[in-house]
Each structure stands twice: as structure tokens, then as C-alpha cells.
Amino acid sequence: QFPTDLSAELKDLPREVFAVDPTSVTQTPSTEVLYRCRKCRRALFRSSSILSHVEGSGPTAFAHKRVTDSARLAGDGREKCTSYFTEPVQWMEPSLLGVMEGQLLCPKCAWKLGSFSWRGEQCSCGRWVTPAFQIHKSRVDEVRTLPVGTFQAAKT
């Protein structure tokens, strides 16, 4: 028997559910990519928080939405997945508690980054992802840390 109102269960989530907010950690491992809000540059999540999914069947998965023939051209060079699906990050917690779905806004400037749904959402590639914490790639910038080598002063 499943409860009819899941929102009551979503009011108090265990701390372990949330990935660490990148702003609360001073150093990002050099192998990880940091993602920042494109508008205010606030650090949002790391590459280790991105959840991979098997690519869906593309526009044919949206047949119920009557996709036009021009949109069926999957080989047009465009990236199929236009969003990142992440694990929930600590800064998302106030938005997630007590509700099944909603918008994900930057915690600093309140710019819309994407959306979430505990029921799941469909990626642009056609794959259904559950639960879904979806951040649009166009709303964030990748910040790669360059490895710093050991520099030696030239002997003169």
C-alpha cells in the first residue's frame, strides 16, 4: 500500500541525500569540473554530482507530443541532452522539501536554472529520469581547474 500523499514524507529528508554544496568546500579536486550559475557565477555543483543516463530514442520518444518531421532529424549535429541531471545538492533543500516538483533557482541570484520532480522528467534525448533534478546546460558554465605543476626557478 503506497501513501497517496508523498509530500508528507518529503518534509524531512536525511542529510545524506544531499551532495555537498561546492561553496562550503574550499578546494575542488583537480579531476572534477565545477559548474557555476552563468548569471552570477555562484558555484552550484561538481561533475561528480551529475547522474548519467542511457540516451533515449530521441524525438520518437515524444511521439505523444506530435513532434514535427523537421525535429526528427537526430543527426543534425546538435547535442541530444540539453540538461544535466544531478543528485540533489544542499542548496536545493529549501525548494525540495514538502513538494513533489518545482523550479530550481540559483540560491544567490534566483535565476531559473532548471526544475525538479520526484516523479521524474523526460530528458531532451527521450530518456525518462527518476527522480529528476534537471539543470539546463545553457544556464551554467563549466569551470575546469588546470593542474598546477611544480615550477623550478631557472638556475643562473
Side-chain angles (χ1 to χ4, degrees):
Q1 180 79 20
F2 291 103
T4 53
D5 183 21
L6 290 175
S7 61
E9 293 182 18
L10 299 175
K11 285 189 180 17
D12 188 33
L13 293 169
R15 287 262 166 258
E16 306 83 61
V17 168
F18 296 95
V20 174
D21 189 326
T23 58
S24 66
V25 179
T26 54
Q27 195 171 359
T28 299
S30 61
T31 55
E32 284 199 278
V33 178
L34 185 65
Y35 293 85
R36 297 179 180 267
C37 172
R38 188 163 278 177
K39 186 173 181 185
C40 74
R41 310 288 296 146
R42 194 237 194 239
L44 299 168
F45 61 95
R46 291 192 172 86
S47 54
S48 59
S49 292
I50 296 174
L51 305 175
S52 62
H53 60 272
V54 177
E55 195 174 276
S57 56
T60 57
F62 298 94
H64 66 283
K65 294 185 179 180
R66 290 181 175 60
V67 176
T68 62
D69 288 336
S70 61
R72 290 187 193 278
L73 301 171
D76 59 2
R78 285 185 296 169
E79 197 172 7
K80 282 192 174 186
C81 300
T82 58
S83 298
Y84 296 111
F85 286 87
T86 68
E87 60 186 336
V89 185
Q90 288 172 341
W91 60 264
M92 297 177 184
E93 186 175 6
S95 303
L96 306 179
L97 297 180
V99 291
M100 290 299 293
E101 58 192 27
Q103 294 183 347
L104 289 175
L105 305 177
C106 175
K108 184 177 177 184
C109 69
W111 199 40
K112 185 179 178 192
L113 300 168
S115 58
F116 74 91
S117 174
W118 292 101
R119 294 179 188 98
E121 291 182 354
Q122 197 166 24
C123 179
S124 56
C125 73
R127 176 66 56 194
W128 189 264
V129 181
T130 307
F133 304 94
Q134 182 178 25
I135 301 202
H136 303 298
K137 290 181 179 181
S138 64
R139 297 298 178 127
V140 293
D141 285 324
E142 279 187 13
V143 180
R144 295 181 183 271
T145 52
L146 297 173
V148 178
T150 53
F151 295 102
Q152 295 180 343
K155 293 182 180 175
T156 56

